[in-house]
Amino acid sequence: MTTDLLDFRIGLGYDSHRLGDGGPLRIGGHDVPGDFHAIGHSDADVLLHAVTDALMGAIAGPDIGRLFPDDADENRDRDSSDFVKEAVRRITEAGYAINNLDAVILAQKPKMAPHIDVMRGKLAELLQTQSDRIGLKAKTGEGVDAVGRSEAIAARVVVILRRQS
């Protein structure tokens, strides 16, 4: 029996942040205007945090909290694109590339639909892939739980990596 590495890897990422008054809200590297901002140690970009964890999970790497601890001064107000860039560097070093990524932003407010295409473009650039390999959608909380009451925002991400030739 051989122990060759699989040609594909799957990673799952999730993140959530409380919301506070005053905007803008940074999601997917894009500032969404509105009356809310996410509360966190870094820029609290819930989508990029979930993307980072999905990428690192696919290569059985450390999660975002171990890579970029929230009690480290150098991570205060840090741009979350730095986290994604490091994860991309690590998956590339491990011999993998993005096959496709699918993500859901969970937010009652503000409306995400007008911003989805911009976010997909920013994700494609950060992930060094084509935007047609990225699925991105947003769902409301329908008045249920912290998301539905506009107290929090969350994101779920699944990624498939393929071994590079």
Side-chain angles (χ1 to χ4, degrees):
M1 180 175 180
T2 65
T3 57
D4 292 339
L5 292 176
L6 298 175
D7 289 335
F8 291 95
R9 297 278 185 104
I10 297 172
L12 173 66
Y14 171 80
D15 194 39
S16 64
H17 285 276
R18 289 178 296 122
L19 292 173
D21 292 333
L25 176 64
R26 175 146 291 204
I27 306 174
H30 173 67
D31 288 336
V32 176
D35 299 329
F36 299 103
H37 74 278
I39 298 169
H41 187 72
S42 67
D43 65 4
D45 189 323
V46 70
L47 179 57
L48 295 188
H49 292 186
V51 167
T52 301
D53 270 344
L55 293 170
M56 294 308 298
I59 60 168
D63 68 17
I64 193 171
R66 290 187 356 214
L67 284 175
F68 303 99
D70 65 2
D71 58 357
D73 287 340
E74 65 268 18
N75 295 326
R76 179 166 301 287
D77 299 323
R78 191 165 180 177
D79 187 331
S80 294
S81 66
D82 291 347
F83 306 157
V84 175
K85 289 174 186 175
E86 176 61 15
V88 168
R89 185 191 71 74
R90 287 176 181 236
I91 68 166
T92 302
E93 185 177 88
Y96 288 90
I98 304 286
N99 190 71
N100 68 298
L101 179 141
D102 193 28
V104 180
I105 301 164
L106 304 160
Q108 191 67 33
K109 295 179 189 174
K111 291 293 183 192
M112 296 292 136
H115 308 282
I116 293 293
D117 290 338
V118 172
M119 290 182 216
R120 279 182 71 219
K122 288 183 177 285
L123 278 174
E125 185 178 324
L126 280 172
L127 297 173
Q128 302 171 16
T129 193
Q130 301 87 2
S131 61
D132 67 351
R133 292 185 176 269
I134 298 169
L136 180 60
K137 59 215 141 291
K139 302 291 179 188
T140 67
E142 298 292 331
V144 177
D145 70 26
V147 169
R149 293 187 301 272
S150 299
E151 297 169 358
I153 186 169
R156 294 185 176 119
V157 175
V158 117
V159 65
I160 297 178
L161 304 181
R162 69 181 182 285
R163 180 160 295 286
Q164 297 189 72
S165 311

